[in-house]
PDB file of all heavy atoms in Angstrom:
ATOM      1  N   TYR A   8     -83.816  25.977  61.065  1.00  0.00           N
ATOM      2  CA  TYR A   8     -84.834  27.003  60.804  1.00  0.00           C
ATOM      3  C   TYR A   8     -85.056  27.347  59.454  1.00  0.00           C
ATOM      4  O   TYR A   8     -85.445  28.422  58.980  1.00  0.00           O
ATOM      5  CB  TYR A   8     -84.478  28.237  61.643  1.00  0.00           C
ATOM      6  CG  TYR A   8     -83.155  28.822  61.451  1.00  0.00           C
ATOM      7  CD1 TYR A   8     -83.034  29.978  60.610  1.00  0.00           C
ATOM      8  CD2 TYR A   8     -82.105  28.443  62.269  1.00  0.00           C
ATOM      9  CE1 TYR A   8     -81.739  30.561  60.389  1.00  0.00           C
ATOM     10  CE2 TYR A   8     -80.798  28.793  61.993  1.00  0.00           C
ATOM     11  CZ  TYR A   8     -80.637  29.923  61.075  1.00  0.00           C
ATOM     12  OH  TYR A   8     -79.380  30.559  60.891  1.00  0.00           O
ATOM     13  N   PHE A  39     -88.411  29.270  69.501  1.00  0.00           N
ATOM     14  CA  PHE A  39     -87.115  29.360  68.809  1.00  0.00           C
ATOM     15  C   PHE A  39     -86.017  29.670  69.830  1.00  0.00           C
ATOM     16  O   PHE A  39     -84.940  29.150  69.840  1.00  0.00           O
ATOM     17  CB  PHE A  39     -87.193  30.376  67.679  1.00  0.00           C
ATOM     18  CG  PHE A  39     -85.906  30.692  67.011  1.00  0.00           C
ATOM     19  CD1 PHE A  39     -85.376  29.790  65.885  1.00  0.00           C
ATOM     20  CD2 PHE A  39     -85.217  31.795  67.195  1.00  0.00           C
ATOM     21  CE1 PHE A  39     -84.276  29.978  65.363  1.00  0.00           C
ATOM     22  CE2 PHE A  39     -83.846  31.934  66.529  1.00  0.00           C
ATOM     23  CZ  PHE A  39     -83.498  31.011  65.653  1.00  0.00           C
ATOM     24  N   LEU A  43     -82.745  27.697  70.885  1.00  0.00           N
ATOM     25  CA  LEU A  43     -81.506  28.267  70.695  1.00  0.00           C
ATOM     26  C   LEU A  43     -80.629  28.244  71.898  1.00  0.00           C
ATOM     27  O   LEU A  43     -79.449  28.048  71.835  1.00  0.00           O
ATOM     28  CB  LEU A  43     -81.840  29.883  70.406  1.00  0.00           C
ATOM     29  CG  LEU A  43     -80.426  30.661  69.895  1.00  0.00           C
ATOM     30  CD1 LEU A  43     -80.021  30.078  68.530  1.00  0.00           C
ATOM     31  CD2 LEU A  43     -80.983  32.114  69.763  1.00  0.00           C
ATOM     32  N   LEU A  49     -76.607  25.217  64.373  1.00  0.00           N
ATOM     33  CA  LEU A  49     -77.735  25.810  63.786  1.00  0.00           C
ATOM     34  C   LEU A  49     -77.515  25.530  62.301  1.00  0.00           C
ATOM     35  O   LEU A  49     -76.388  25.572  61.730  1.00  0.00           O
ATOM     36  CB  LEU A  49     -77.612  27.361  63.910  1.00  0.00           C
ATOM     37  CG  LEU A  49     -77.685  28.010  65.309  1.00  0.00           C
ATOM     38  CD1 LEU A  49     -77.708  29.527  65.145  1.00  0.00           C
ATOM     39  CD2 LEU A  49     -78.816  27.538  65.961  1.00  0.00           C
ATOM     40  N   GLY A  53     -81.638  33.262  56.304  1.00  0.00           N
ATOM     41  CA  GLY A  53     -82.586  34.328  56.449  1.00  0.00           C
ATOM     42  C   GLY A  53     -82.740  34.949  57.732  1.00  0.00           C
ATOM     43  O   GLY A  53     -83.648  35.816  57.880  1.00  0.00           O
ATOM     44  N   VAL A  54     -82.067  34.500  58.796  1.00  0.00           N
ATOM     45  CA  VAL A  54     -82.168  35.107  60.081  1.00  0.00           C
ATOM     46  C   VAL A  54     -80.886  35.951  60.361  1.00  0.00           C
ATOM     47  O   VAL A  54     -79.769  35.285  60.087  1.00  0.00           O
ATOM     48  CB  VAL A  54     -82.360  34.151  61.227  1.00  0.00           C
ATOM     49  CG1 VAL A  54     -82.187  34.655  62.665  1.00  0.00           C
ATOM     50  CG2 VAL A  54     -83.762  33.394  61.096  1.00  0.00           C
ATOM     51  N   ASN A  55     -80.948  37.131  60.793  1.00  0.00           N
ATOM     52  CA  ASN A  55     -79.811  37.908  61.043  1.00  0.00           C
ATOM     53  C   ASN A  55     -79.242  37.460  62.367  1.00  0.00           C
ATOM     54  O   ASN A  55     -79.804  37.631  63.476  1.00  0.00           O
ATOM     55  CB  ASN A  55     -80.249  39.391  61.038  1.00  0.00           C
ATOM     56  CG  ASN A  55     -79.052  40.285  60.886  1.00  0.00           C
ATOM     57  OD1 ASN A  55     -77.967  39.886  60.469  1.00  0.00           O
ATOM     58  ND2 ASN A  55     -79.154  41.605  61.084  1.00  0.00           N
ATOM     59  N   ILE A  56     -78.112  36.792  62.320  1.00  0.00           N
ATOM     60  CA  ILE A  56     -77.595  36.339  63.574  1.00  0.00           C
ATOM     61  C   ILE A  56     -76.657  37.389  64.196  1.00  0.00           C
ATOM     62  O   ILE A  56     -75.547  37.647  63.715  1.00  0.00           O
ATOM     63  CB  ILE A  56     -76.662  34.951  63.322  1.00  0.00           C
ATOM     64  CG1 ILE A  56     -77.514  33.874  62.655  1.00  0.00           C
ATOM     65  CG2 ILE A  56     -75.963  34.475  64.543  1.00  0.00           C
ATOM     66  CD1 ILE A  56     -78.612  33.360  63.458  1.00  0.00           C
ATOM     67  N   THR A  57     -77.253  37.942  65.287  1.00  0.00           N
ATOM     68  CA  THR A  57     -76.582  39.098  65.855  1.00  0.00           C
ATOM     69  C   THR A  57     -75.737  38.553  67.151  1.00  0.00           C
ATOM     70  O   THR A  57     -76.132  37.552  67.587  1.00  0.00           O
ATOM     71  CB  THR A  57     -77.633  40.163  66.366  1.00  0.00           C
ATOM     72  OG1 THR A  57     -78.383  39.451  67.358  1.00  0.00           O
ATOM     73  CG2 THR A  57     -78.490  40.685  65.215  1.00  0.00           C
ATOM     74  N   PRO A  58     -74.843  39.383  67.722  1.00  0.00           N
ATOM     75  CA  PRO A  58     -74.248  39.106  68.920  1.00  0.00           C
ATOM     76  C   PRO A  58     -75.229  38.873  70.030  1.00  0.00           C
ATOM     77  O   PRO A  58     -75.031  37.983  70.825  1.00  0.00           O
ATOM     78  CB  PRO A  58     -73.416  40.313  69.172  1.00  0.00           C
ATOM     79  CG  PRO A  58     -73.045  40.814  67.831  1.00  0.00           C
ATOM     80  CD  PRO A  58     -74.239  40.606  67.057  1.00  0.00           C
ATOM     81  N   VAL A  59     -76.429  39.560  70.021  1.00  0.00           N
ATOM     82  CA  VAL A  59     -77.325  39.351  71.014  1.00  0.00           C
ATOM     83  C   VAL A  59     -78.054  37.928  70.927  1.00  0.00           C
ATOM     84  O   VAL A  59     -78.166  37.256  72.048  1.00  0.00           O
ATOM     85  CB  VAL A  59     -78.564  40.440  70.889  1.00  0.00           C
ATOM     86  CG1 VAL A  59     -79.602  40.174  71.926  1.00  0.00           C
ATOM     87  CG2 VAL A  59     -77.980  41.838  71.125  1.00  0.00           C
ATOM     88  N   LEU A  60     -78.195  37.447  69.751  1.00  0.00           N
ATOM     89  CA  LEU A  60     -78.689  36.091  69.568  1.00  0.00           C
ATOM     90  C   LEU A  60     -77.699  35.209  70.064  1.00  0.00           C
ATOM     91  O   LEU A  60     -78.082  34.128  70.546  1.00  0.00           O
ATOM     92  CB  LEU A  60     -79.032  35.754  68.035  1.00  0.00           C
ATOM     93  CG  LEU A  60     -80.500  36.217  67.500  1.00  0.00           C
ATOM     94  CD1 LEU A  60     -80.666  35.639  66.136  1.00  0.00           C
ATOM     95  CD2 LEU A  60     -81.548  35.646  68.505  1.00  0.00           C
ATOM     96  N   LEU A  61     -76.529  35.469  69.699  1.00  0.00           N
ATOM     97  CA  LEU A  61     -75.289  34.511  70.188  1.00  0.00           C
ATOM     98  C   LEU A  61     -75.250  34.435  71.577  1.00  0.00           C
ATOM     99  O   LEU A  61     -74.955  33.356  72.257  1.00  0.00           O
ATOM    100  CB  LEU A  61     -73.904  34.970  69.542  1.00  0.00           C
ATOM    101  CG  LEU A  61     -73.847  34.785  68.064  1.00  0.00           C
ATOM    102  CD1 LEU A  61     -72.567  35.511  67.561  1.00  0.00           C
ATOM    103  CD2 LEU A  61     -73.988  33.419  67.582  1.00  0.00           C
ATOM    104  N   LEU A  67     -73.515  27.049  71.590  1.00  0.00           N
ATOM    105  CA  LEU A  67     -73.369  26.820  70.206  1.00  0.00           C
ATOM    106  C   LEU A  67     -71.873  26.600  69.682  1.00  0.00           C
ATOM    107  O   LEU A  67     -70.902  27.251  70.129  1.00  0.00           O
ATOM    108  CB  LEU A  67     -73.735  28.283  69.415  1.00  0.00           C
ATOM    109  CG  LEU A  67     -74.000  28.131  67.995  1.00  0.00           C
ATOM    110  CD1 LEU A  67     -75.103  27.186  67.712  1.00  0.00           C
ATOM    111  CD2 LEU A  67     -74.459  29.625  67.600  1.00  0.00           C
ATOM    112  N   ILE A  70     -72.393  26.777  62.896  1.00  0.00           N
ATOM    113  CA  ILE A  70     -73.539  27.230  62.115  1.00  0.00           C
ATOM    114  C   ILE A  70     -73.299  26.944  60.656  1.00  0.00           C
ATOM    115  O   ILE A  70     -72.323  27.013  60.122  1.00  0.00           O
ATOM    116  CB  ILE A  70     -73.782  28.796  62.259  1.00  0.00           C
ATOM    117  CG1 ILE A  70     -73.843  29.262  63.672  1.00  0.00           C
ATOM    118  CG2 ILE A  70     -74.945  29.264  61.356  1.00  0.00           C
ATOM    119  CD1 ILE A  70     -73.846  30.788  63.715  1.00  0.00           C
ATOM    120  N   ASN A  79     -75.431  37.793  56.734  1.00  0.00           N
ATOM    121  CA  ASN A  79     -76.200  37.848  57.922  1.00  0.00           C
ATOM    122  C   ASN A  79     -75.488  37.357  59.151  1.00  0.00           C
ATOM    123  O   ASN A  79     -76.104  37.177  60.151  1.00  0.00           O
ATOM    124  CB  ASN A  79     -77.359  36.859  57.664  1.00  0.00           C
ATOM    125  CG  ASN A  79     -78.549  37.423  56.999  1.00  0.00           C
ATOM    126  OD1 ASN A  79     -78.800  38.666  57.118  1.00  0.00           O
ATOM    127  ND2 ASN A  79     -79.373  36.613  56.462  1.00  0.00           N
ATOM    128  N   TYR A  80     -74.205  37.298  59.089  1.00  0.00           N
ATOM    129  CA  TYR A  80     -73.520  36.725  60.269  1.00  0.00           C
ATOM    130  C   TYR A  80     -72.342  37.618  60.648  1.00  0.00           C
ATOM    131  O   TYR A  80     -71.598  38.051  59.775  1.00  0.00           O
ATOM    132  CB  TYR A  80     -72.902  35.283  59.975  1.00  0.00           C
ATOM    133  CG  TYR A  80     -74.039  34.347  59.444  1.00  0.00           C
ATOM    134  CD1 TYR A  80     -74.189  34.279  58.087  1.00  0.00           C
ATOM    135  CD2 TYR A  80     -74.588  33.532  60.313  1.00  0.00           C
ATOM    136  CE1 TYR A  80     -75.336  33.424  57.612  1.00  0.00           C
ATOM    137  CE2 TYR A  80     -75.604  32.711  59.919  1.00  0.00           C
ATOM    138  CZ  TYR A  80     -75.987  32.562  58.529  1.00  0.00           C
ATOM    139  OH  TYR A  80     -76.952  31.743  58.144  1.00  0.00           O
ATOM    140  N   PRO A  81     -72.169  37.790  61.955  1.00  0.00           N
ATOM    141  CA  PRO A  81     -70.958  38.626  62.431  1.00  0.00           C
ATOM    142  C   PRO A  81     -69.684  37.682  62.444  1.00  0.00           C
ATOM    143  O   PRO A  81     -69.342  37.170  63.435  1.00  0.00           O
ATOM    144  CB  PRO A  81     -71.317  39.086  63.778  1.00  0.00           C
ATOM    145  CG  PRO A  81     -72.226  37.947  64.304  1.00  0.00           C
ATOM    146  CD  PRO A  81     -72.776  37.347  63.037  1.00  0.00           C
ATOM    147  N   LEU A  85     -68.064  35.603  65.552  1.00  0.00           N
ATOM    148  CA  LEU A  85     -68.153  34.071  65.612  1.00  0.00           C
ATOM    149  C   LEU A  85     -66.735  33.479  65.847  1.00  0.00           C
ATOM    150  O   LEU A  85     -66.705  32.639  66.707  1.00  0.00           O
ATOM    151  CB  LEU A  85     -68.767  33.529  64.263  1.00  0.00           C
ATOM    152  CG  LEU A  85     -70.289  33.855  64.077  1.00  0.00           C
ATOM    153  CD1 LEU A  85     -70.706  33.423  62.787  1.00  0.00           C
ATOM    154  CD2 LEU A  85     -71.135  33.086  65.161  1.00  0.00           C
TER     155      LEU A  85
END
Side-chain angles (χ1 to χ4, degrees):
Y8 55 93
F39 176 80
L43 189 63
L49 300 185
V54 171
N55 201 12
I56 302 292
T57 60
V59 173
L60 272 189
L61 293 177
L67 199 56
I70 304 176
N79 268 343
Y80 304 88
L85 288 171

